[in-house]
């Protein structure tokens, strides 16, 4: 795939107010292992990044079109069914904190390979689940694999391609959306063809094989140390940095919206009388428009200060969500596409924000872990809240207005997302 290349992202000035920064003085030094197969080219890195990213969403997205069948087979309530999406989303937040430690202890590539293997095996075994306990246990495995792999991506990009972070994160977001689109479009049809949800769920373990092969290639040729214990400056999470909290809030709202739609958009229209395959196409429209927005907003974002395109994305999402809340049966494909386009643009730029505020891979990893910890923990409540409102009210009307309010918070946050080192520069001039 092709994607316009934004201008290089320049390294910010040192971070102010981050909590927990410490030196590694006095710790034993182990020399970094040299890469076995030479340096990793930008083209090869992008291909491997795409193969990994395409495995990180189908296990979640494919659940939406299958929820009515899973609810019937296991006798779940809507709130319980929402856990199939909420659990992975919650783990994407909770497991972000220990990933930097795991990376230092075992090495980035070993941790990434283990995470991808866990995701692949759990996706396959969930399709064989014979009990509610096994259904949720394998969902935990899926969430853990996605969570750990997702945190490691930002450090990989910052370490190997620090001047191309915007283009890499745009490609990464596009590949995430491509995997989402394929699974959303095909899952309902596979379920109809096979006569049940199990094959339609288990088939999405297959991309994991390609992701594992891709990271084996990265591990052989990556310039990053393959081992643990390299003596580098360690950065704690930016708990006292106001900009970091604002980024986390914006990203939390964006993911609250995304995972709520992924979970309940298709079931909502199935309840309105649509077939699962037809509702799956609507969900595929959401993920396709989300994917298209990634390179578009990457092109629009020509500077580290991304507030204007972020505001444009949030306002576009608000327009689409209002259309769905006011008239869900009037041109739903158009309204969903508008909603997703704004959500996708906001997503790809908000993933770049932690990198705009940091200098090196260690600091970027700490900021990324913090943002993911806060945002995905909050986002996990989205599917649950929609399920609870649906159980309490008997329809999805109140759930849709909840999403309108969440997007309103996104719009209100965008003026405050200027990189913190620029704020210091402005203050110094004043």
């Amino acid at each position: 795939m092709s994607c316009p290349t934004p201008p290089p992202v320049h390294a910010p000035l040192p971070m102010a107010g981050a909590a927990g920064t410490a030196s590694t003085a006095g710790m034993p030094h182990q020399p970094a292992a040299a890469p076995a197969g030479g340096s990793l080219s930008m083209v090869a890195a992008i291909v491997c990044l795409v193969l990994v990213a395409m495995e990180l969403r189908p296990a979640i997205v494919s659940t939406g079109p299958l929820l009515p069948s899973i609810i019937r087979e296991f006798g779940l309530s809507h709130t319980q069914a929402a856990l199939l999406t909420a659990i992975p989303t919650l783990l994407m937040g909770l497991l972000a904190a220990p990933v930097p430690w795991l990376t230092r202890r075992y090495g980035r590539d070993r941790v990434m390979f283990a995470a991808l293997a866990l995701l692949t095996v759990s996706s396959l075994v969930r399709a064989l689940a014979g009990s509610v306990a096994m259904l949720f246990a394998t969902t935990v495995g899926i969430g853990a694999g996605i969570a750990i792999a997702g945190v490691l991506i930002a450090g990989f990009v910052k370490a190997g391609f620090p001047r191309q972070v915007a283009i890499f994160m745009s490609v990464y977001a596009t590949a995430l959306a491509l995997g989402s689109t394929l699974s959303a479009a095909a899952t309902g049809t596979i379920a109809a063809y096979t006569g049940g949800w199990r094959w339609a769920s288990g088939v999405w373990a297959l991309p994991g094989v390609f992701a594992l092969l891709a990271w084996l290639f990265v591990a052989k040729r990556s310039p990053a140390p393959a081992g643990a214990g390299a003596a580098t400056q360690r950065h704690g999470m930016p708990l006292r940095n106001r900009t970091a909290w604002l980024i986390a809030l914006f990203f939390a709202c964006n993911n609250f919206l995304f995972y709520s739609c992924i979970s309940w958009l298709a079931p909502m229209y199935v309840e309105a009388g649509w077939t699962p395959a037809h509702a799956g196409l609507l969900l595929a429209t959401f993920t396709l428009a989300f994917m298209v927005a990634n390179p578009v907003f990457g092109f629009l974002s020509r500077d580290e200060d991304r507030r204007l395109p972020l505001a444009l994305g949030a306002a576009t999402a608000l327009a689409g969500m209002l259309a769905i809340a006011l008239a869900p049966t009037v041109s739903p494909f158009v309204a969903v596409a508008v909603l997703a386009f704004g959500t996708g643009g906001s997503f790809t730029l908000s993933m770049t924000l932690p990198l705009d505020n940091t200098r090196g891979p260690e600091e970027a990893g700490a900021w990324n872990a913090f943002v993911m910890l806060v945002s995905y923990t909050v986002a996990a409540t989205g599917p649950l809240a929609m399920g609870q409102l649906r159980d309490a009210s008997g329809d999805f009307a109140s759930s849709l207005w909840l999403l309108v309010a969440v997007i309103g918070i996104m719009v209100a946050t965008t003026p405050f997302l200027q990189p913190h080192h620029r704020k210091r520069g402005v203050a110094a001039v004043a």
Side-chain angles (χ1 to χ4, degrees):
M1 71 183 68
S2 62
C3 180
T5 305
V9 177
H10 303 289
L13 298 174
M15 180 180 66
T21 301
S23 171
T24 56
M27 295 184 62
H29 171 71
Q30 299 178 16
S39 62
L40 185 68
S41 71
M42 182 173 176
V43 172
I46 288 176
V47 171
C48 292
L49 184 68
V50 167
L51 290 174
V52 170
M54 288 185 64
E55 167 64 359
L56 298 185
R57 290 298 179 269
I60 298 177
V61 175
S62 62
T63 303
L66 302 176
L67 270 185
S69 298
I70 294 173
I71 288 172
R72 286 194 300 270
E73 179 169 334
F74 290 98
L76 304 177
S77 68
H78 287 78
T79 303
Q80 291 171 324
L83 290 171
L84 296 175
T85 301
I87 287 174
T89 309
L90 178 62
L91 290 175
M92 288 164 72
L94 296 181
L95 293 183
V99 170
W101 176 84
L102 288 172
T103 304
R104 289 192 297 268
R105 178 67 178 84
Y106 298 105
R108 182 198 68 196
D109 296 326
R110 291 178 182 175
V111 176
M112 175 67 88
F113 192 84
L116 293 174
L118 177 61
L119 170 57
T120 302
V121 172
S122 297
S123 298
L124 180 61
V125 175
R126 185 169 70 172
L128 306 174
S131 66
V132 173
M134 180 60 70
L135 183 71
F136 286 119
T138 50
T139 299
V140 169
I142 288 169
I146 293 172
I148 295 170
V151 173
L152 292 173
I153 291 296
F156 164 67
V157 172
K158 193 72 173 180
F161 305 91
R163 294 187 176 275
Q164 292 87 26
V165 292
I167 184 64
F168 266 84
M169 298 314 288
S170 177
V171 170
Y172 174 59
T174 302
L176 287 175
L178 177 60
S180 299
T181 300
L182 293 175
S183 57
T187 297
T189 301
I190 296 173
Y193 181 78
T194 59
W197 65 272
R198 295 182 182 275
W199 276 98
S201 176
V203 71
W204 301 111
L206 183 60
V209 177
F210 296 101
L212 287 166
L213 293 175
W215 208 263
L216 280 176
F217 180 83
V218 169
K220 290 181 178 180
R221 306 185 71 88
S222 171
T232 57
Q233 183 183 14
R234 296 186 181 180
H235 294 270
M237 290 188 180
L239 299 175
R240 299 178 185 174
N241 191 292
R242 178 174 176 268
T243 301
W245 280 102
L246 289 169
I247 293 171
L249 173 62
F250 185 90
F251 199 45
C253 292
N254 197 81
N255 281 293
F256 187 104
L257 173 64
F258 177 81
Y259 288 104
S260 295
C261 290
I262 288 299
S263 298
W264 293 114
L265 189 63
M268 181 174 71
Y269 282 92
V270 168
E271 286 193 6
W274 292 28
T275 65
H278 193 196
L281 289 177
L282 184 64
L283 181 59
T285 299
F286 179 90
T287 56
L288 178 61
F290 188 98
M291 178 179 67
V292 170
N294 297 150
V296 172
F297 277 78
F299 176 79
L300 291 175
S301 183
R302 314 289 285 184
D303 185 76
E304 275 186 357
D305 189 350
R306 308 181 194 278
R307 289 177 293 175
L308 182 58
L310 283 167
L312 177 62
T316 302
L318 181 60
M321 194 69 247
L322 281 170
I324 296 172
L326 291 170
T329 60
V330 177
S331 300
F333 282 90
V334 175
V336 164
V338 172
L339 166 65
F341 189 79
T343 307
S346 300
F347 178 78
T348 189
L349 295 182
S350 57
M351 283 202 308
T352 308
L353 293 177
L355 306 186
D356 291 338
N357 285 273
T358 56
R359 293 181 296 171
E362 278 279 343
E363 189 179 9
W367 273 62
N368 197 52
F370 170 75
V371 169
M372 294 185 73
L373 170 62
V374 175
S375 63
Y376 283 115
T377 302
V378 174
T381 65
L384 286 172
M386 287 194 70
Q388 289 175 334
L389 288 172
R390 163 61 184 80
D391 285 336
S393 64
D395 59 40
F396 285 96
S398 55
S399 300
L400 296 177
W401 285 107
L402 171 64
L403 298 184
V404 170
V406 169
I407 305 175
I409 297 174
M410 289 175 60
V411 174
T413 304
T414 54
F416 306 102
L417 295 177
Q418 183 183 25
H420 71 93
H421 64 89
R422 287 198 171 191
K423 295 175 184 176
R424 291 203 311 271
V426 171
V429 172

mmCIF file with all atom_site columns, all heavy atoms in Angstrom, residues 241-257:
data_model
loop_
_atom_site.group_PDB
_atom_site.id
_atom_site.type_symbol
_atom_site.label_atom_id
_atom_site.label_alt_id
_atom_site.label_comp_id
_atom_site.label_asym_id
_atom_site.label_entity_id
_atom_site.label_seq_id
_atom_site.pdbx_PDB_ins_code
_atom_site.Cartn_x
_atom_site.Cartn_y
_atom_site.Cartn_z
_atom_site.occupancy
_atom_site.B_iso_or_equiv
_atom_site.pdbx_formal_charge
_atom_site.auth_seq_id
_atom_site.auth_comp_id
_atom_site.auth_asym_id
_atom_site.auth_atom_id
_atom_site.pdbx_PDB_model_num
ATOM 1   N N   . ASN A 1 241 ? 3.122   14.908 34.050 1.00 0.00 ? 241 ASN A N   1
ATOM 2   C CA  . ASN A 1 241 ? 3.132   15.733 32.841 1.00 0.00 ? 241 ASN A CA  1
ATOM 3   C C   . ASN A 1 241 ? 1.709   15.948 32.346 1.00 0.00 ? 241 ASN A C   1
ATOM 4   O O   . ASN A 1 241 ? 1.006   14.991 31.990 1.00 0.00 ? 241 ASN A O   1
ATOM 5   C CB  . ASN A 1 241 ? 3.982   15.071 31.758 1.00 0.00 ? 241 ASN A CB  1
ATOM 6   C CG  . ASN A 1 241 ? 4.247   15.997 30.593 1.00 0.00 ? 241 ASN A CG  1
ATOM 7   O OD1 . ASN A 1 241 ? 3.343   16.341 29.849 1.00 0.00 ? 241 ASN A OD1 1
ATOM 8   N ND2 . ASN A 1 241 ? 5.498   16.410 30.443 1.00 0.00 ? 241 ASN A ND2 1
ATOM 9   N N   . ARG A 1 242 ? 1.274   17.206 32.324 1.00 0.00 ? 242 ARG A N   1
ATOM 10  C CA  . ARG A 1 242 ? -0.102  17.533 31.950 1.00 0.00 ? 242 ARG A CA  1
ATOM 11  C C   . ARG A 1 242 ? -0.401  17.121 30.519 1.00 0.00 ? 242 ARG A C   1
ATOM 12  O O   . ARG A 1 242 ? -1.501  16.604 30.211 1.00 0.00 ? 242 ARG A O   1
ATOM 13  C CB  . ARG A 1 242 ? -0.325  19.044 32.122 1.00 0.00 ? 242 ARG A CB  1
ATOM 14  C CG  . ARG A 1 242 ? -1.708  19.542 31.713 1.00 0.00 ? 242 ARG A CG  1
ATOM 15  C CD  . ARG A 1 242 ? -1.857  21.020 32.077 1.00 0.00 ? 242 ARG A CD  1
ATOM 16  N NE  . ARG A 1 242 ? -3.118  21.571 31.617 1.00 0.00 ? 242 ARG A NE  1
ATOM 17  C CZ  . ARG A 1 242 ? -3.285  22.169 30.448 1.00 0.00 ? 242 ARG A CZ  1
ATOM 18  N NH1 . ARG A 1 242 ? -2.254  22.301 29.616 1.00 0.00 ? 242 ARG A NH1 1
ATOM 19  N NH2 . ARG A 1 242 ? -4.466  22.650 30.109 1.00 0.00 ? 242 ARG A NH2 1
ATOM 20  N N   . THR A 1 243 ? 0.563   17.318 29.622 1.00 0.00 ? 243 THR A N   1
ATOM 21  C CA  . THR A 1 243 ? 0.344   16.949 28.228 1.00 0.00 ? 243 THR A CA  1
ATOM 22  C C   . THR A 1 243 ? 0.102   15.451 28.078 1.00 0.00 ? 243 THR A C   1
ATOM 23  O O   . THR A 1 243 ? -0.743  15.018 27.300 1.00 0.00 ? 243 THR A O   1
ATOM 24  C CB  . THR A 1 243 ? 1.543   17.376 27.359 1.00 0.00 ? 243 THR A CB  1
ATOM 25  O OG1 . THR A 1 243 ? 1.721   18.788 27.465 1.00 0.00 ? 243 THR A OG1 1
ATOM 26  C CG2 . THR A 1 243 ? 1.323   17.016 25.899 1.00 0.00 ? 243 THR A CG2 1
ATOM 27  N N   . ALA A 1 244 ? 0.850   14.651 28.829 1.00 0.00 ? 244 ALA A N   1
ATOM 28  C CA  . ALA A 1 244 ? 0.677   13.202 28.765 1.00 0.00 ? 244 ALA A CA  1
ATOM 29  C C   . ALA A 1 244 ? -0.735  12.790 29.181 1.00 0.00 ? 244 ALA A C   1
ATOM 30  O O   . ALA A 1 244 ? -1.358  11.914 28.561 1.00 0.00 ? 244 ALA A O   1
ATOM 31  C CB  . ALA A 1 244 ? 1.715   12.519 29.655 1.00 0.00 ? 244 ALA A CB  1
ATOM 32  N N   . TRP A 1 245 ? -1.261  13.432 30.219 1.00 0.00 ? 245 TRP A N   1
ATOM 33  C CA  . TRP A 1 245 ? -2.629  13.121 30.660 1.00 0.00 ? 245 TRP A CA  1
ATOM 34  C C   . TRP A 1 245 ? -3.663  13.545 29.610 1.00 0.00 ? 245 TRP A C   1
ATOM 35  O O   . TRP A 1 245 ? -4.661  12.838 29.390 1.00 0.00 ? 245 TRP A O   1
ATOM 36  C CB  . TRP A 1 245 ? -2.909  13.816 31.995 1.00 0.00 ? 245 TRP A CB  1
ATOM 37  C CG  . TRP A 1 245 ? -2.328  13.093 33.174 1.00 0.00 ? 245 TRP A CG  1
ATOM 38  C CD1 . TRP A 1 245 ? -1.196  13.416 33.855 1.00 0.00 ? 245 TRP A CD1 1
ATOM 39  C CD2 . TRP A 1 245 ? -2.849  11.909 33.788 1.00 0.00 ? 245 TRP A CD2 1
ATOM 40  N NE1 . TRP A 1 245 ? -0.971  12.504 34.874 1.00 0.00 ? 245 TRP A NE1 1
ATOM 41  C CE2 . TRP A 1 245 ? -1.965  11.574 34.854 1.00 0.00 ? 245 TRP A CE2 1
ATOM 42  C CE3 . TRP A 1 245 ? -3.962  11.101 33.543 1.00 0.00 ? 245 TRP A CE3 1
ATOM 43  C CZ2 . TRP A 1 245 ? -2.181  10.461 35.664 1.00 0.00 ? 245 TRP A CZ2 1
ATOM 44  C CZ3 . TRP A 1 245 ? -4.172  9.996  34.369 1.00 0.00 ? 245 TRP A CZ3 1
ATOM 45  C CH2 . TRP A 1 245 ? -3.292  9.687  35.409 1.00 0.00 ? 245 TRP A CH2 1
ATOM 46  N N   . LEU A 1 246 ? -3.438  14.668 28.964 1.00 0.00 ? 246 LEU A N   1
ATOM 47  C CA  . LEU A 1 246 ? -4.378  15.121 27.933 1.00 0.00 ? 246 LEU A CA  1
ATOM 48  C C   . LEU A 1 246 ? -4.350  14.188 26.728 1.00 0.00 ? 246 LEU A C   1
ATOM 49  O O   . LEU A 1 246 ? -5.407  13.879 26.142 1.00 0.00 ? 246 LEU A O   1
ATOM 50  C CB  . LEU A 1 246 ? -4.034  16.550 27.514 1.00 0.00 ? 246 LEU A CB  1
ATOM 51  C CG  . LEU A 1 246 ? -4.337  17.634 28.553 1.00 0.00 ? 246 LEU A CG  1
ATOM 52  C CD1 . LEU A 1 246 ? -3.706  18.960 28.139 1.00 0.00 ? 246 LEU A CD1 1
ATOM 53  C CD2 . LEU A 1 246 ? -5.844  17.796 28.740 1.00 0.00 ? 246 LEU A CD2 1
ATOM 54  N N   . ILE A 1 247 ? -3.163  13.742 26.345 1.00 0.00 ? 247 ILE A N   1
ATOM 55  C CA  . ILE A 1 247 ? -3.062  12.769 25.255 1.00 0.00 ? 247 ILE A CA  1
ATOM 56  C C   . ILE A 1 247 ? -3.807  11.490 25.629 1.00 0.00 ? 247 ILE A C   1
ATOM 57  O O   . ILE A 1 247 ? -4.546  10.918 24.829 1.00 0.00 ? 247 ILE A O   1
ATOM 58  C CB  . ILE A 1 247 ? -1.584  12.467 24.937 1.00 0.00 ? 247 ILE A CB  1
ATOM 59  C CG1 . ILE A 1 247 ? -0.891  13.698 24.341 1.00 0.00 ? 247 ILE A CG1 1
ATOM 60  C CG2 . ILE A 1 247 ? -1.472  11.295 23.968 1.00 0.00 ? 247 ILE A CG2 1
ATOM 61  C CD1 . ILE A 1 247 ? 0.616   13.543 24.209 1.00 0.00 ? 247 ILE A CD1 1
ATOM 62  N N   . ALA A 1 248 ? -3.601  11.034 26.861 1.00 0.00 ? 248 ALA A N   1
ATOM 63  C CA  . ALA A 1 248 ? -4.269  9.820  27.322 1.00 0.00 ? 248 ALA A CA  1
ATOM 64  C C   . ALA A 1 248 ? -5.792  9.982  27.317 1.00 0.00 ? 248 ALA A C   1
ATOM 65  O O   . ALA A 1 248 ? -6.522  9.054  26.948 1.00 0.00 ? 248 ALA A O   1
ATOM 66  C CB  . ALA A 1 248 ? -3.784  9.457  28.728 1.00 0.00 ? 248 ALA A CB  1
ATOM 67  N N   . LEU A 1 249 ? -6.282  11.160 27.717 1.00 0.00 ? 249 LEU A N   1
ATOM 68  C CA  . LEU A 1 249 ? -7.724  11.415 27.705 1.00 0.00 ? 249 LEU A CA  1
ATOM 69  C C   . LEU A 1 249 ? -8.279  11.365 26.291 1.00 0.00 ? 249 LEU A C   1
ATOM 70  O O   . LEU A 1 249 ? -9.312  10.725 26.043 1.00 0.00 ? 249 LEU A O   1
ATOM 71  C CB  . LEU A 1 249 ? -8.013  12.775 28.343 1.00 0.00 ? 249 LEU A CB  1
ATOM 72  C CG  . LEU A 1 249 ? -9.466  13.263 28.266 1.00 0.00 ? 249 LEU A CG  1
ATOM 73  C CD1 . LEU A 1 249 ? -10.394 12.298 29.000 1.00 0.00 ? 249 LEU A CD1 1
ATOM 74  C CD2 . LEU A 1 249 ? -9.589  14.672 28.839 1.00 0.00 ? 249 LEU A CD2 1
ATOM 75  N N   . PHE A 1 250 ? -7.607  12.036 25.363 1.00 0.00 ? 250 PHE A N   1
ATOM 76  C CA  . PHE A 1 250 ? -8.085  12.044 23.979 1.00 0.00 ? 250 PHE A CA  1
ATOM 77  C C   . PHE A 1 250 ? -8.078  10.627 23.401 1.00 0.00 ? 250 PHE A C   1
ATOM 78  O O   . PHE A 1 250 ? -9.055  10.182 22.772 1.00 0.00 ? 250 PHE A O   1
ATOM 79  C CB  . PHE A 1 250 ? -7.202  12.962 23.134 1.00 0.00 ? 250 PHE A CB  1
ATOM 80  C CG  . PHE A 1 250 ? -7.685  13.135 21.723 1.00 0.00 ? 250 PHE A CG  1
ATOM 81  C CD1 . PHE A 1 250 ? -8.565  14.156 21.394 1.00 0.00 ? 250 PHE A CD1 1
ATOM 82  C CD2 . PHE A 1 250 ? -7.272  12.281 20.716 1.00 0.00 ? 250 PHE A CD2 1
ATOM 83  C CE1 . PHE A 1 250 ? -9.035  14.318 20.099 1.00 0.00 ? 250 PHE A CE1 1
ATOM 84  C CE2 . PHE A 1 250 ? -7.725  12.428 19.413 1.00 0.00 ? 250 PHE A CE2 1
ATOM 85  C CZ  . PHE A 1 250 ? -8.604  13.451 19.100 1.00 0.00 ? 250 PHE A CZ  1
ATOM 86  N N   . PHE A 1 251 ? -6.982  9.909  23.615 1.00 0.00 ? 251 PHE A N   1
ATOM 87  C CA  . PHE A 1 251 ? -6.858  8.550  23.080 1.00 0.00 ? 251 PHE A CA  1
ATOM 88  C C   . PHE A 1 251 ? -7.877  7.625  23.742 1.00 0.00 ? 251 PHE A C   1
ATOM 89  O O   . PHE A 1 251 ? -8.420  6.708  23.103 1.00 0.00 ? 251 PHE A O   1
ATOM 90  C CB  . PHE A 1 251 ? -5.435  8.050  23.305 1.00 0.00 ? 251 PHE A CB  1
ATOM 91  C CG  . PHE A 1 251 ? -5.042  6.900  22.429 1.00 0.00 ? 251 PHE A CG  1
ATOM 92  C CD1 . PHE A 1 251 ? -5.326  6.900  21.073 1.00 0.00 ? 251 PHE A CD1 1
ATOM 93  C CD2 . PHE A 1 251 ? -4.355  5.810  22.952 1.00 0.00 ? 251 PHE A CD2 1
ATOM 94  C CE1 . PHE A 1 251 ? -4.943  5.841  20.261 1.00 0.00 ? 251 PHE A CE1 1
ATOM 95  C CE2 . PHE A 1 251 ? -3.971  4.750  22.150 1.00 0.00 ? 251 PHE A CE2 1
ATOM 96  C CZ  . PHE A 1 251 ? -4.263  4.762  20.807 1.00 0.00 ? 251 PHE A CZ  1
ATOM 97  N N   . ALA A 1 252 ? -8.157  7.837  25.033 1.00 0.00 ? 252 ALA A N   1
ATOM 98  C CA  . ALA A 1 252 ? -9.153  7.032  25.735 1.00 0.00 ? 252 ALA A CA  1
ATOM 99  C C   . ALA A 1 252 ? -10.534 7.211  25.121 1.00 0.00 ? 252 ALA A C   1
ATOM 100 O O   . ALA A 1 252 ? -11.262 6.239  24.878 1.00 0.00 ? 252 ALA A O   1
ATOM 101 C CB  . ALA A 1 252 ? -9.183  7.409  27.219 1.00 0.00 ? 252 ALA A CB  1
ATOM 102 N N   . CYS A 1 253 ? -10.912 8.454  24.866 1.00 0.00 ? 253 CYS A N   1
ATOM 103 C CA  . CYS A 1 253 ? -12.216 8.717  24.252 1.00 0.00 ? 253 CYS A CA  1
ATOM 104 C C   . CYS A 1 253 ? -12.301 8.103  22.855 1.00 0.00 ? 253 CYS A C   1
ATOM 105 O O   . CYS A 1 253 ? -13.330 7.529  22.470 1.00 0.00 ? 253 CYS A O   1
ATOM 106 C CB  . CYS A 1 253 ? -12.474 10.216 24.188 1.00 0.00 ? 253 CYS A CB  1
ATOM 107 S SG  . CYS A 1 253 ? -12.706 10.999 25.798 1.00 0.00 ? 253 CYS A SG  1
ATOM 108 N N   . ASN A 1 254 ? -11.210 8.227  22.092 1.00 0.00 ? 254 ASN A N   1
ATOM 109 C CA  . ASN A 1 254 ? -11.199 7.687  20.739 1.00 0.00 ? 254 ASN A CA  1
ATOM 110 C C   . ASN A 1 254 ? -11.363 6.169  20.753 1.00 0.00 ? 254 ASN A C   1
ATOM 111 O O   . ASN A 1 254 ? -12.113 5.592  19.957 1.00 0.00 ? 254 ASN A O   1
ATOM 112 C CB  . ASN A 1 254 ? -9.887  8.072  20.041 1.00 0.00 ? 254 ASN A CB  1
ATOM 113 C CG  . ASN A 1 254 ? -9.963  7.918  18.542 1.00 0.00 ? 254 ASN A CG  1
ATOM 114 O OD1 . ASN A 1 254 ? -10.482 8.774  17.834 1.00 0.00 ? 254 ASN A OD1 1
ATOM 115 N ND2 . ASN A 1 254 ? -9.443  6.818  18.046 1.00 0.00 ? 254 ASN A ND2 1
ATOM 116 N N   . ASN A 1 255 ? -10.680 5.510  21.682 1.00 0.00 ? 255 ASN A N   1
ATOM 117 C CA  . ASN A 1 255 ? -10.776 4.049  21.763 1.00 0.00 ? 255 ASN A CA  1
ATOM 118 C C   . ASN A 1 255 ? -12.082 3.595  22.406 1.00 0.00 ? 255 ASN A C   1
ATOM 119 O O   . ASN A 1 255 ? -12.600 2.521  22.073 1.00 0.00 ? 255 ASN A O   1
ATOM 120 C CB  . ASN A 1 255 ? -9.575  3.498  22.532 1.00 0.00 ? 255 ASN A CB  1
ATOM 121 C CG  . ASN A 1 255 ? -8.338  3.430  21.676 1.00 0.00 ? 255 ASN A CG  1
ATOM 122 O OD1 . ASN A 1 255 ? -8.261  2.659  20.732 1.00 0.00 ? 255 ASN A OD1 1
ATOM 123 N ND2 . ASN A 1 255 ? -7.360  4.249  21.995 1.00 0.00 ? 255 ASN A ND2 1
ATOM 124 N N   . PHE A 1 256 ? -12.612 4.372  23.337 1.00 0.00 ? 256 PHE A N   1
ATOM 125 C CA  . PHE A 1 256 ? -13.945 4.104  23.883 1.00 0.00 ? 256 PHE A CA  1
ATOM 126 C C   . PHE A 1 256 ? -14.951 4.037  22.736 1.00 0.00 ? 256 PHE A C   1
ATOM 127 O O   . PHE A 1 256 ? -15.779 3.112  22.652 1.00 0.00 ? 256 PHE A O   1
ATOM 128 C CB  . PHE A 1 256 ? -14.315 5.228  24.853 1.00 0.00 ? 256 PHE A CB  1
ATOM 129 C CG  . PHE A 1 256 ? -15.587 5.023  25.626 1.00 0.00 ? 256 PHE A CG  1
ATOM 130 C CD1 . PHE A 1 256 ? -15.552 4.658  26.960 1.00 0.00 ? 256 PHE A CD1 1
ATOM 131 C CD2 . PHE A 1 256 ? -16.833 5.223  25.037 1.00 0.00 ? 256 PHE A CD2 1
ATOM 132 C CE1 . PHE A 1 256 ? -16.733 4.483  27.690 1.00 0.00 ? 256 PHE A CE1 1
ATOM 133 C CE2 . PHE A 1 256 ? -18.008 5.056  25.744 1.00 0.00 ? 256 PHE A CE2 1
ATOM 134 C CZ  . PHE A 1 256 ? -17.960 4.675  27.082 1.00 0.00 ? 256 PHE A CZ  1
ATOM 135 N N   . LEU A 1 257 ? -14.872 4.999  21.830 1.00 0.00 ? 257 LEU A N   1
ATOM 136 C CA  . LEU A 1 257 ? -15.758 5.046  20.669 1.00 0.00 ? 257 LEU A CA  1
ATOM 137 C C   . LEU A 1 257 ? -15.515 3.866  19.745 1.00 0.00 ? 257 LEU A C   1
ATOM 138 O O   . LEU A 1 257 ? -16.463 3.186  19.317 1.00 0.00 ? 257 LEU A O   1
ATOM 139 C CB  . LEU A 1 257 ? -15.535 6.370  19.932 1.00 0.00 ? 257 LEU A CB  1
ATOM 140 C CG  . LEU A 1 257 ? -16.244 6.568  18.596 1.00 0.00 ? 257 LEU A CG  1
ATOM 141 C CD1 . LEU A 1 257 ? -17.748 6.577  18.801 1.00 0.00 ? 257 LEU A CD1 1
ATOM 142 C CD2 . LEU A 1 257 ? -15.774 7.858  17.947 1.00 0.00 ? 257 LEU A CD2 1
#
